[in-house]
Amino acid sequence: MAKREIIAIGGSAGSIEVIRRICLALPTDLEASVLIAVHVGASDRDLLAAILDSGGPLPASTALDGEPLQEAHVYVAPPDHHLVIDGHFARLGRGPRENMARPAIDPLFRSAGISAGPRAIGVLLSGLLNDGASGLADLKRCGGVTVVQSPLDAVQGEMPRTALLASDIDYRAPARDLGELVVRLAREEPGPALTPPESVALEVAIALGRPSDTPTIAGIADPVPLACPACGGTLSQVRRSPLRFRCQVGHGYTAEALAHEQEGSVDEAFRIALRVIGERVVLMEKMTLDALQAGRATAAAGFEQRSQEYRRSAAVVMEAALKR
Protein backbone atom coordinates (compact mmCIF):
# COMPACT_ATOMS: atom_id res chain seq x y z
CA MET A 1 0.00 0.00 0.00
CA ALA A 2 1.27 3.47 -0.84
CA LYS A 3 2.40 5.54 2.13
CA ARG A 4 3.89 8.89 2.96
CA GLU A 5 7.62 8.25 3.11
CA ILE A 6 9.15 11.70 3.73
CA ILE A 7 8.64 13.88 6.82
CA ALA A 8 10.40 17.24 6.40
CA ILE A 9 10.58 19.45 9.49
CA GLY A 10 11.79 23.05 9.62
CA GLY A 11 12.20 25.43 12.53
CA SER A 12 14.15 28.28 14.02
CA ALA A 13 14.01 30.12 17.34
CA GLY A 14 12.01 28.12 19.86
CA SER A 15 11.74 24.97 17.75
CA ILE A 16 14.29 22.58 19.30
CA GLU A 17 12.07 21.41 22.15
CA VAL A 18 9.17 20.92 19.73
CA ILE A 19 11.36 18.85 17.40
CA ARG A 20 12.42 16.73 20.36
CA ARG A 21 8.77 16.14 21.31
CA ILE A 22 7.85 15.15 17.77
CA CYS A 23 10.75 12.71 17.52
CA LEU A 24 9.84 11.14 20.87
CA ALA A 25 6.39 10.34 19.44
CA LEU A 26 7.72 8.58 16.32
CA PRO A 27 7.42 4.76 16.43
CA THR A 28 10.36 2.47 15.73
CA ASP A 29 8.45 0.91 12.81
CA LEU A 30 7.91 4.28 11.09
CA GLU A 31 7.91 3.70 7.33
CA ALA A 32 9.24 7.16 6.55
CA SER A 33 12.49 9.12 6.65
CA VAL A 34 12.61 12.27 8.78
CA LEU A 35 14.69 15.25 7.61
CA ILE A 36 15.18 18.34 9.75
CA ALA A 37 16.48 21.82 8.90
CA VAL A 38 16.97 24.29 11.76
CA HIS A 39 18.54 27.73 11.41
CA VAL A 40 22.07 27.59 12.82
CA GLY A 41 25.14 29.72 12.20
CA ALA A 42 28.05 28.49 10.12
CA SER A 43 30.27 28.30 13.21
CA ASP A 44 27.69 26.70 15.50
CA ARG A 45 28.35 23.24 16.91
CA ASP A 46 26.42 20.37 15.34
CA LEU A 47 24.57 19.07 18.43
CA LEU A 48 20.95 18.48 17.43
CA ALA A 49 21.48 15.04 15.88
CA ALA A 50 23.25 13.79 19.02
CA ILE A 51 20.45 15.15 21.23
CA LEU A 52 17.77 13.40 19.17
CA ASP A 53 19.79 10.19 18.85
CA SER A 54 20.31 9.85 22.59
CA GLY A 55 16.82 10.94 23.63
CA GLY A 56 14.46 9.36 21.12
CA PRO A 57 13.33 5.98 19.82
CA LEU A 58 14.72 6.52 16.31
CA PRO A 59 18.40 6.75 15.36
CA ALA A 60 19.42 10.27 14.35
CA SER A 61 22.49 11.54 12.55
CA THR A 62 23.84 14.58 10.79
CA ALA A 63 23.06 14.13 7.10
CA LEU A 64 25.87 13.17 4.73
CA ASP A 65 25.91 14.17 1.09
CA GLY A 66 24.69 11.35 -1.13
CA GLU A 67 23.67 8.90 1.59
CA PRO A 68 20.57 6.76 0.94
CA LEU A 69 17.52 7.64 3.00
CA GLN A 70 16.41 4.94 5.40
CA GLU A 71 13.01 4.45 6.98
CA ALA A 72 12.70 5.19 10.70
CA HIS A 73 15.82 7.38 10.67
CA VAL A 74 16.23 11.09 11.45
CA TYR A 75 18.58 13.23 9.36
CA VAL A 76 19.64 16.70 10.51
CA ALA A 77 21.07 19.43 8.26
CA PRO A 78 24.65 20.33 9.24
CA PRO A 79 25.68 23.97 9.78
CA ASP A 80 26.33 26.04 6.65
CA HIS A 81 24.73 23.50 4.28
CA HIS A 82 21.28 23.29 2.72
CA LEU A 83 19.72 19.84 3.17
CA VAL A 84 17.65 18.68 0.21
CA ILE A 85 16.17 15.40 -1.01
CA ASP A 86 17.18 13.95 -4.37
CA GLY A 87 14.99 10.94 -5.03
CA HIS A 88 15.87 8.47 -2.26
CA PHE A 89 19.09 10.25 -1.28
CA ALA A 90 20.06 13.11 1.01
CA ARG A 91 22.06 15.87 -0.63
CA LEU A 92 23.95 18.78 0.91
CA GLY A 93 24.48 22.04 -0.92
CA ARG A 94 26.34 25.26 -0.28
CA GLY A 95 24.25 27.30 -2.67
CA PRO A 96 23.40 30.92 -1.81
CA ARG A 97 21.70 31.68 1.48
CA GLU A 98 17.93 31.99 1.48
CA ASN A 99 16.37 34.45 3.90
CA MET A 100 19.87 34.96 5.34
CA ALA A 101 20.04 31.28 6.35
CA ARG A 102 22.03 28.20 5.35
CA PRO A 103 20.63 25.70 6.08
CA ALA A 104 17.33 27.23 5.02
CA ILE A 105 13.97 25.54 5.38
CA ASP A 106 12.49 26.41 1.99
CA PRO A 107 14.94 24.25 -0.06
CA LEU A 108 14.17 21.18 2.09
CA PHE A 109 10.41 21.58 1.65
CA ARG A 110 10.72 22.23 -2.10
CA SER A 111 12.92 19.18 -2.60
CA ALA A 112 10.48 17.03 -0.61
CA GLY A 113 7.75 18.13 -2.98
CA ILE A 114 9.85 17.44 -6.08
CA SER A 115 11.07 14.01 -4.92
CA ALA A 116 8.03 12.65 -3.08
CA GLY A 117 5.04 14.79 -4.05
CA PRO A 118 1.93 13.49 -2.22
CA ARG A 119 4.15 11.06 -0.25
CA ALA A 120 5.74 14.02 1.58
CA ILE A 121 4.75 15.83 4.77
CA GLY A 122 6.09 19.29 5.56
CA VAL A 123 6.04 20.56 9.14
CA LEU A 124 6.91 24.18 9.99
CA LEU A 125 7.59 25.14 13.60
CA SER A 126 8.42 28.17 15.74
CA GLY A 127 10.66 30.90 14.31
CA LEU A 128 11.08 34.53 13.31
CA LEU A 129 10.43 36.04 9.86
CA ASN A 130 9.08 33.60 7.28
CA ASP A 131 11.55 31.06 5.96
CA GLY A 132 9.54 27.92 5.21
CA ALA A 133 6.35 29.67 4.07
CA SER A 134 7.14 29.59 0.35
CA GLY A 135 8.64 26.11 0.66
CA LEU A 136 5.41 24.79 2.18
CA ALA A 137 3.44 26.47 -0.61
CA ASP A 138 5.66 24.73 -3.19
CA LEU A 139 5.37 21.37 -1.41
CA LYS A 140 1.59 21.72 -1.56
CA ARG A 141 1.81 22.57 -5.29
CA CYS A 142 3.51 19.19 -5.67
CA GLY A 143 0.72 17.39 -3.82
CA GLY A 144 2.33 17.15 -0.37
CA VAL A 145 0.63 17.61 3.00
CA THR A 146 1.44 20.77 4.97
CA VAL A 147 1.43 21.24 8.75
CA VAL A 148 2.30 24.22 10.95
CA GLN A 149 2.62 24.62 14.68
CA SER A 150 -0.20 26.78 16.01
CA PRO A 151 1.25 30.32 16.09
CA LEU A 152 -0.17 31.09 19.55
CA ASP A 153 1.50 27.92 20.87
CA ALA A 154 4.92 28.74 19.41
CA VAL A 155 7.70 30.56 21.27
CA GLN A 156 8.06 32.66 18.10
CA GLY A 157 4.86 32.52 16.08
CA GLU A 158 5.95 34.57 13.06
CA MET A 159 7.07 31.68 10.82
CA PRO A 160 3.94 29.55 11.23
CA ARG A 161 1.72 32.64 11.03
CA THR A 162 3.17 33.80 7.71
CA ALA A 163 2.94 30.26 6.34
CA LEU A 164 -0.79 30.25 7.10
CA LEU A 165 -1.12 33.50 5.14
CA ALA A 166 1.02 32.32 2.23
CA SER A 167 -0.94 29.18 1.25
CA ASP A 168 -3.81 26.91 2.21
CA ILE A 169 -2.16 24.91 5.01
CA ASP A 170 -3.72 21.50 5.63
CA TYR A 171 -3.22 21.20 9.41
CA ARG A 172 -2.21 23.30 12.39
CA ALA A 173 -1.67 21.94 15.89
CA PRO A 174 0.02 22.78 19.19
CA ALA A 175 3.37 21.19 19.99
CA ARG A 176 1.83 18.53 22.22
CA ASP A 177 -0.25 17.15 19.30
CA LEU A 178 2.20 17.43 16.42
CA GLY A 179 3.91 14.07 16.96
CA GLU A 180 0.64 12.13 16.97
CA LEU A 181 -0.58 14.08 13.92
CA VAL A 182 2.59 13.39 11.94
CA VAL A 183 2.44 9.66 12.72
CA ARG A 184 -1.19 9.50 11.60
CA LEU A 185 -0.47 11.37 8.37
CA ALA A 186 2.51 9.12 7.61
CA ARG A 187 0.24 6.06 7.80
CA GLU A 188 -2.47 7.50 5.56
CA GLU A 189 -2.73 6.75 1.87
CA PRO A 190 -1.35 9.72 -0.08
CA GLY A 191 -3.35 11.72 -2.57
CA PRO A 192 -2.85 11.85 -6.34
CA ALA A 193 0.49 12.85 -7.84
CA LEU A 194 0.78 16.34 -9.33
CA THR A 195 3.27 17.65 -11.89
CA PRO A 196 5.87 19.77 -10.03
CA PRO A 197 6.54 23.22 -11.55
CA GLU A 198 9.92 23.38 -13.31
CA SER A 199 10.69 26.60 -11.44
CA VAL A 200 10.56 24.73 -8.11
CA ALA A 201 13.12 22.19 -9.34
CA LEU A 202 15.37 25.04 -10.51
CA GLU A 203 15.38 26.62 -7.06
CA VAL A 204 16.31 23.28 -5.50
CA ALA A 205 19.23 23.06 -7.94
CA ILE A 206 20.35 26.57 -6.93
CA ALA A 207 20.36 25.50 -3.28
CA LEU A 208 22.59 22.57 -4.23
CA GLY A 209 25.06 24.97 -5.81
CA ARG A 210 24.06 25.12 -9.46
CA PRO A 211 25.69 28.24 -10.94
CA SER A 212 23.13 31.00 -11.13
CA ASP A 213 23.24 33.87 -13.62
CA THR A 214 20.93 36.41 -15.19
CA PRO A 215 19.44 34.07 -17.84
CA THR A 216 18.82 31.39 -15.19
CA ILE A 217 16.98 33.77 -12.86
CA ALA A 218 15.09 35.25 -15.82
CA GLY A 219 13.44 31.86 -16.26
CA ILE A 220 11.64 32.17 -12.92
CA ALA A 221 11.62 35.88 -12.04
CA ASP A 222 11.37 39.41 -13.44
CA PRO A 223 13.88 42.21 -12.61
CA VAL A 224 12.77 44.91 -10.20
CA PRO A 225 14.54 48.13 -9.09
CA LEU A 226 15.79 46.64 -5.82
CA ALA A 227 19.31 45.67 -4.77
CA CYS A 228 20.38 42.47 -3.05
CA PRO A 229 21.54 43.24 0.53
CA ALA A 230 24.13 40.46 0.36
CA CYS A 231 25.92 41.24 -2.92
CA GLY A 232 24.41 44.46 -4.29
CA GLY A 233 23.14 42.78 -7.45
CA THR A 234 19.77 43.46 -9.04
CA LEU A 235 16.86 41.53 -7.53
CA SER A 236 14.15 39.83 -9.55
CA GLN A 237 10.64 39.05 -8.35
CA VAL A 238 9.84 35.32 -8.41
CA ARG A 239 6.67 34.65 -10.40
CA ARG A 240 5.22 32.14 -7.92
CA SER A 241 3.51 33.33 -4.75
CA PRO A 242 4.16 34.28 -2.01
CA LEU A 243 6.09 37.46 -2.83
CA ARG A 244 9.82 36.64 -3.05
CA PHE A 245 13.00 37.89 -4.73
CA ARG A 246 16.28 36.43 -6.02
CA CYS A 247 19.42 38.11 -7.33
CA GLN A 248 21.56 36.88 -10.23
CA VAL A 249 23.90 35.15 -7.79
CA GLY A 250 20.92 33.28 -6.34
CA HIS A 251 20.44 34.89 -2.90
CA GLY A 252 16.77 34.52 -2.04
CA TYR A 253 14.49 36.67 0.12
CA THR A 254 10.86 36.77 1.05
CA ALA A 255 9.47 40.29 1.10
CA GLU A 256 9.57 40.29 4.92
CA ALA A 257 13.16 39.06 5.06
CA LEU A 258 14.21 41.68 2.51
CA ALA A 259 12.51 44.42 4.50
CA HIS A 260 14.28 43.21 7.64
CA GLU A 261 17.68 43.35 5.91
CA GLN A 262 16.97 46.77 4.40
CA GLU A 263 16.10 48.12 7.85
CA GLY A 264 19.71 47.76 8.92
CA SER A 265 20.91 49.39 5.68
CA VAL A 266 18.65 52.40 6.26
CA ASP A 267 19.95 52.79 9.81
CA GLU A 268 23.53 52.64 8.54
CA ALA A 269 22.73 55.25 5.88
CA PHE A 270 21.41 57.62 8.57
CA ARG A 271 24.56 57.08 10.66
CA ILE A 272 26.82 57.78 7.69
CA ALA A 273 24.86 60.90 6.71
CA LEU A 274 25.02 62.31 10.24
CA ARG A 275 28.74 61.58 10.51
CA VAL A 276 29.54 63.24 7.15
CA ILE A 277 27.40 66.29 7.91
CA GLY A 278 28.98 66.59 11.37
CA GLU A 279 32.44 66.53 9.86
CA ARG A 280 31.45 69.27 7.41
CA VAL A 281 30.22 71.43 10.33
CA VAL A 282 33.57 71.04 12.11
CA LEU A 283 35.47 71.83 8.93
CA MET A 284 33.39 74.97 8.23
CA GLU A 285 33.93 76.15 11.82
CA LYS A 286 37.70 75.81 11.46
CA MET A 287 37.66 77.56 8.08
CA THR A 288 35.59 80.39 9.64
CA LEU A 289 38.12 80.84 12.46
CA ASP A 290 41.04 80.72 10.03
CA ALA A 291 39.44 83.38 7.81
CA LEU A 292 38.76 85.66 10.79
CA GLN A 293 42.33 85.36 12.00
CA ALA A 294 43.52 86.28 8.50
CA GLY A 295 41.26 89.34 8.39
CA ARG A 296 39.00 87.91 5.66
CA ALA A 297 35.64 88.85 7.14
CA THR A 298 33.59 88.21 3.98
CA ALA A 299 34.99 84.70 3.57
CA ALA A 300 34.45 84.02 7.28
CA ALA A 301 30.79 85.02 6.96
CA GLY A 302 30.37 82.65 4.01
CA PHE A 303 31.91 79.74 5.91
CA GLU A 304 29.73 80.48 8.95
CA GLN A 305 26.62 80.51 6.77
CA ARG A 306 27.52 77.10 5.29
CA SER A 307 28.17 75.79 8.81
CA GLN A 308 24.65 76.83 9.86
CA GLU A 309 23.19 75.18 6.74
CA TYR A 310 24.91 71.90 7.62
CA ARG A 311 23.58 72.13 11.18
CA ARG A 312 20.03 72.51 9.83
CA SER A 313 20.57 69.53 7.52
CA ALA A 314 21.79 67.44 10.45
CA ALA A 315 18.67 68.35 12.41
CA VAL A 316 16.45 67.27 9.51
CA VAL A 317 18.25 63.92 9.16
CA MET A 318 18.10 63.34 12.92
CA GLU A 319 14.35 64.11 13.01
CA ALA A 320 13.74 61.68 10.13
CA ALA A 321 15.76 58.98 11.86
CA LEU A 322 13.84 59.38 15.11
CA LYS A 323 10.48 59.12 13.32
CA ARG A 324 11.28 55.69 11.82
Side-chain angles (χ1 to χ4, degrees):
M1 184 179 68
K3 60 184 184 300
R4 294 193 172 105
E5 59 191 30
I6 293 294
I7 301 170
I9 301 174
S12 188
S15 68
I16 299 299
E17 178 58 24
V18 185
I19 290 171
R20 193 184 68 82
R21 293 182 67 169
I22 293 173
C23 289
L24 282 172
L26 301 177
T28 56
D29 62 350
L30 182 71
E31 296 183 90
S33 303
V34 182
L35 297 98
I36 299 173
V38 175
H39 291 165
V40 292
S43 60
D44 286 355
R45 297 178 63 190
D46 187 8
L47 300 176
L48 181 56
I51 293 171
L52 298 177
D53 187 59
S54 62
L58 300 186
S61 61
T62 299
L64 301 175
D65 187 39
E67 70 174 310
L69 295 176
Q70 301 178 28
E71 294 180 352
H73 193 102
V74 179
Y75 301 88
V76 179
D80 206 30
H81 289 78
H82 296 305
L83 172 60
V84 302
I85 303 163
D86 184 6
H88 296 286
F89 298 87
R91 293 294 311 278
L92 302 179
R94 296 201 72 248
R97 296 178 184 275
E98 295 198 29
N99 301 314
M100 299 89 69
R102 189 173 57 216
I105 302 166
D106 282 332
L108 174 59
F109 286 165
R110 291 189 190 109
S111 68
I114 292 293
S115 292
R119 304 186 314 281
I121 304 167
V123 184
L124 185 63
L125 307 176
S126 171
L128 294 168
L129 296 179
N130 58 350
D131 186 26
S134 65
L136 274 188
D138 287 335
L139 191 153
K140 190 171 181 66
R141 287 186 178 98
C142 299
V145 177
T146 55
V147 180
V148 300
Q149 181 181 2
S150 299
L152 294 178
D153 175 71
V155 174
Q156 299 290 347
E158 193 171 0
M159 282 202 331
R161 186 180 303 112
T162 54
L164 288 166
L165 295 173
S167 63
D168 185 15
I169 299 298
D170 296 305
Y171 300 92
R172 73 173 91 179
R176 65 178 180 274
D177 298 333
L178 284 172
E180 179 182 349
L181 173 61
V182 167
V183 172
R184 175 169 64 81
L185 293 174
R187 290 172 173 166
E188 289 180 352
E189 184 176 352
L194 303 178
T195 301
E198 292 184 5
S199 57
V200 176
L202 176 58
E203 292 198 85
V204 173
I206 291 173
L208 276 173
R210 168 179 169 167
S212 178
D213 52 22
T214 300
T216 300
I217 298 301
I220 62 172
D222 300 308
V224 292
L226 295 170
C228 174
C231 66
T234 300
L235 287 172
S236 294
Q237 182 177 330
V238 178
R239 298 186 188 107
R240 301 189 317 277
S241 62
L243 181 61
R244 291 186 300 120
F245 305 90
R246 278 193 183 272
C247 70
Q248 296 96 325
V249 173
H251 296 116
Y253 301 90
T254 62
E256 289 78 4
L258 180 62
H260 181 268
E261 282 294 278
Q262 287 181 333
E263 191 76 12
S265 299
V266 172
D267 290 341
E268 181 64 16
F270 275 119
R271 286 193 293 269
I272 292 173
L274 287 170
R275 176 179 59 80
V276 172
I277 295 172
E279 290 175 353
R280 295 293 291 177
V281 170
V282 171
L283 178 60
M284 289 302 105
E285 289 175 345
K286 290 186 175 299
M287 293 176 72
T288 299
L289 179 60
D290 180 71
L292 288 173
Q293 291 175 341
R296 295 183 289 116
T298 302
F303 293 142
E304 176 60 25
Q305 180 180 354
R306 292 174 65 184
S307 175
Q308 293 299 326
E309 290 172 354
Y310 282 127
R311 286 193 180 91
R312 287 192 291 271
S313 296
V316 170
V317 173
M318 179 61 75
E319 182 180 4
L322 293 174
K323 287 182 177 179
R324 293 182 64 249

